Amino acid sequence: MLERHRVRRLRAGLLALTAAGGLLLTGCSAGDGGGHGSASDGANGKRGGAYAPAPAPGEQWGEDTGEQEGEQRGDGSREIAPSPDYLSTFALDVDTASYGYARRTLAEGRTPDPSTIRPEEFVNSFRQDYRRPDGDGFSVTVDGARTDTEDWSLVRVGLATRPQEDESERPPAALTFVIDISGSMGEPGRLDLVRDALDVMTERLRDDDSVAIVTFSDEAETVLPMTRLGGHRDRVHDAVDELEPTDSTNLGAGVETGYATAVEGLREGATNRVVLLSDALANTGDTDPDTILERIADARREHGITLFGVGVGSDYGDALMERLADKGDGHTTYVSTEAQARTLFSEQLPRTVDLTARDAKAQVAFDPETVAEFRLIGYDNRQVADEDFRDDRVDGGEVGPGHTVTALYAVRTRPGASGHLATATVRWLDPDTRTPHEESGDLEARSLHDGLWTSPEGLRVAAVAAYFADALRQGHSRGTLPGQPSLRQLAARAKELARDREDKDLHGLAEAIRAANQRYPD
């Protein structure tokens, strides 16, 4: 059995080398729109990845559309059939902002903009009980289940880091908070929410942690340089209490000043991070994330300062915040209530300021003998060229302790398929030494569960979240993934899972799906 697996992996590796042979190394990062192993685009030769595309009008999943096999592009074009490709490569992503913002939008009786829907952020908003590794690095879990659409399955790749240790054992944190005090932040649920959360967090952090505060409106100002909390908490509280909304939003100036303040207060042996709190409705100065972060590139690359974006407000610049976090080697989340903000700043942030992996990437090799076609669900902005998987100069994702990352694939197996189906590998750099490490996991065709809705709870949760995101992205009650239920059916599935797990987050998911069904009735 092991020898057969080695042969299959070697075959997948030779496929990758063949595909890469005619290409120059792109050197593109996860946030730079590089391809992730889809086939050639034809005339322009550019490589690009794919969110699972909607079938052409009148087509359904499972129909014979005349496509060639392997991974398929998501541009909807069927004029040029792509060549076979059995690798999929992406940077890890622990963002959840897309789901949080969509849920708030639906609760307010509005319809989410499809461009703000990122399926992987829906999937990664919910707890998964993957096996944890004994030390630093990742465990790899690969499973799947057959859908109601003939020959199509959902395959789940689950990655997990070690559990969060006792907070006293983590390195000290040096956090620079960059706070939006523009006029739009004066609305309820924005700056007031930020003030309350920061006050709670100030008491929660350790004495050996440090905090700096930068504010921005039409200009940026450092109102508190990097300050050790032990004996100085009153200084932080005073700075927070004085935050008041003023003029326009020069987000670029805020980020630049924030990084300058972080570099000035840099602490060796500490986790140095910029935390941006904003509605991201930039309207003054530089509003392009690439340009903004290029100006502070040295701070990011030389000092390893990561960016954590926290979005607030019913009107929210999702695209700008998400792009800033991707380019800033960080991640984003979204909060809309005082309870969410308090949990984030008083519990989650203090526990996860540490990093267990830098530039983490995943690569899934599907076996061409058992797999006819596959499509990664989401991760559009996290694609990495297959040949860059082991190029450690190419950006990946930053992941801390206690995190899980899930990727779902729609996979069409060959009739009667048996044997090896896929191998998933995660590669990351040690955050201190930059030494590369890898871990892998395999899936056999016989290990696919016979039915999706009788599969393990975690897989069902991921499927409900992905189906929900796909329906919102398509803008109607039923999405385009294989085995896609209606929103009404999805709400029932989510309610059942919430009851079985006694999980308030899943109750929230069921409520959001019901709200969407009112916008898009069956």
Side-chain angles (χ1 to χ4, degrees):
M1 179 71 71
L2 290 175
E3 183 61 31
R4 183 180 65 187
H5 284 186
R6 292 191 189 101
V7 171
R8 298 284 173 82
R9 291 193 192 108
L10 177 60
R11 183 184 294 114
L14 290 173
L15 280 169
L17 289 173
T18 301
L23 295 170
L24 295 174
L25 288 177
T26 65
C28 59
S29 75
D32 291 336
H36 80 321
S38 291
S40 169
D41 270 353
N44 61 15
K46 181 179 177 181
R47 294 176 63 84
Y51 170 72
E59 293 177 359
Q60 299 294 328
W61 284 89
E63 288 185 0
D64 183 3
T65 60
E67 294 180 68
Q68 288 192 16
E69 298 170 339
E71 184 176 17
Q72 307 304 319
R73 283 192 47 80
D75 58 8
S77 171
R78 298 183 182 272
E79 296 299 320
I80 301 175
S83 59
D85 180 2
Y86 289 88
L87 288 175
S88 171
T89 310
F90 59 94
L92 301 198
D93 188 0
V94 295
D95 292 354
T96 60
S98 177
Y99 171 70
Y101 186 48
R103 184 181 170 189
R104 172 171 183 162
T105 302
L106 289 164
E108 294 177 345
R110 297 183 291 130
T111 301
D113 183 340
S115 69
T116 68
I117 304 301
R118 293 181 291 278
E120 72 277 14
E121 297 185 24
F122 280 56
V123 171
N124 284 308
S125 292
F126 301 97
R127 175 175 56 86
Q128 293 284 350
D129 295 326
Y130 300 131
R131 175 183 60 84
R132 300 282 180 170
D134 295 330
D136 287 339
F138 293 87
S139 65
V140 182
T141 301
V142 192
D143 62 1
R146 303 186 186 281
T147 72
D148 295 336
T149 304
E150 185 177 3
D151 294 332
W152 282 94
S153 298
L154 291 186
V155 169
R156 177 178 62 159
V157 176
L159 310 172
T161 57
R162 59 173 167 78
Q164 295 164 341
E165 298 175 351
D166 187 292
E167 192 182 332
S168 63
E169 299 180 12
R170 67 164 171 82
L175 305 176
T176 301
F177 289 91
V178 179
I179 303 171
D180 185 347
I181 58 169
S182 62
S184 61
M185 290 291 288
E187 297 181 10
R190 299 193 187 197
L191 193 56
D192 56 337
L193 182 150
V194 169
R195 279 194 299 259
D196 178 79
L198 289 179
D199 275 331
V200 173
M201 183 213 65
T202 300
E203 295 302 319
R204 180 72 168 76
L205 289 171
R206 299 188 325 218
D207 285 349
D208 62 343
D209 292 328
S210 301
V211 168
I213 295 178
V214 171
T215 61
F216 67 94
S217 54
D218 55 340
E219 296 180 348
E221 177 186 6
T222 301
V223 298
L224 181 73
M226 194 64 71
T227 303
R228 294 283 181 108
L229 287 176
H232 299 288
R233 281 182 166 80
D234 286 344
R235 291 184 62 190
V236 180
H237 286 305
D238 289 342
V240 170
D241 292 344
E242 292 174 2
L243 297 174
E244 294 292 340
T246 56
D247 300 315
S248 53
T249 310
N250 192 338
L251 192 147
V255 172
E256 188 169 8
T257 303
Y259 270 89
T261 301
V263 170
E264 185 176 347
L266 193 75
R267 291 181 56 185
E268 295 296 329
T271 300
N272 295 273
R273 182 170 294 178
V274 169
V275 183
L276 173 63
L277 302 104
S278 175
D279 58 17
L281 300 176
N283 54 23
T284 301
D286 200 338
T287 61
D288 178 69
D290 294 350
T291 306
I292 291 171
L293 287 172
E294 188 58 38
R295 293 206 303 266
I296 48 86
D298 290 343
R300 294 190 294 119
R301 294 167 186 158
E302 293 179 17
H303 303 297
I305 300 173
T306 57
L307 178 65
F308 179 32
V310 181
V312 297
S314 56
D315 293 321
Y316 168 56
D318 170 80
L320 177 57
M321 183 71 88
E322 193 253 349
R323 186 69 173 150
L324 280 170
D326 281 355
K327 293 286 289 184
D329 297 332
H331 59 282
T332 64
T333 190
Y334 176 87
V335 293
S336 60
T337 67
E338 183 178 304
Q340 290 173 351
R342 284 184 172 230
T343 299
L344 174 67
F345 286 103
S346 67
E347 298 179 20
Q348 296 174 2
L349 183 60
R351 288 201 309 260
T352 60
V353 291
D354 194 13
L355 285 178
T356 57
R358 284 191 182 274
D359 290 325
K361 312 182 193 95
Q363 185 169 82
V364 183
F366 290 92
D367 194 318
E369 292 187 9
T370 54
V371 173
E373 183 181 355
F374 65 91
R375 301 171 189 199
L376 176 61
I377 302 171
Y379 289 92
D380 302 32
N381 299 330
R382 307 295 287 167
Q383 300 162 5
V384 175
D386 294 332
E387 62 268 24
D388 287 342
F389 177 59
R390 292 186 173 88
D391 185 346
D392 296 326
R393 298 167 298 176
V394 175
D395 284 347
E398 277 56 47
V399 184
H403 276 126
T404 63
V405 179
T406 301
L408 279 182
Y409 287 85
V411 176
R412 181 166 65 88
T413 54
R414 299 187 185 280
S418 64
H420 179 253
L421 193 78
T423 296
T425 302
V426 57
R427 181 181 178 88
W428 72 94
L429 304 183
D430 181 279
D432 298 319
T433 66
R434 302 280 177 159
T435 303
H437 302 275
E438 291 187 10
E439 190 67 40
S440 296
D442 293 303
L443 177 65
E444 297 284 308
R446 59 180 169 78
S447 297
L448 290 172
H449 295 275
D450 286 339
L452 177 60
W453 303 117
T454 57
S455 67
E457 282 185 353
L459 180 54
R460 283 181 279 151
V461 168
V464 169
Y467 281 138
F468 180 36
D470 189 55
L472 292 178
R473 208 174 207 196
Q474 302 303 326
H476 47 69
S477 65
R478 194 183 293 268
T480 63
L481 294 176
Q484 179 91 36
S486 68
L487 286 173
R488 179 179 53 79
Q489 293 168 324
L490 274 183
R493 297 289 186 189
K495 184 177 180 180
E496 178 185 5
L497 286 164
R499 184 181 63 249
D500 292 345
R501 276 196 174 190
E502 298 182 351
D503 189 330
K504 64 179 183 180
D505 292 333
L506 289 175
H507 280 293
L509 175 61
E511 292 172 2
I513 297 174
R514 282 196 295 268
N517 194 36
Q518 292 176 353
R519 308 296 297 178
Y520 305 116
D522 292 349

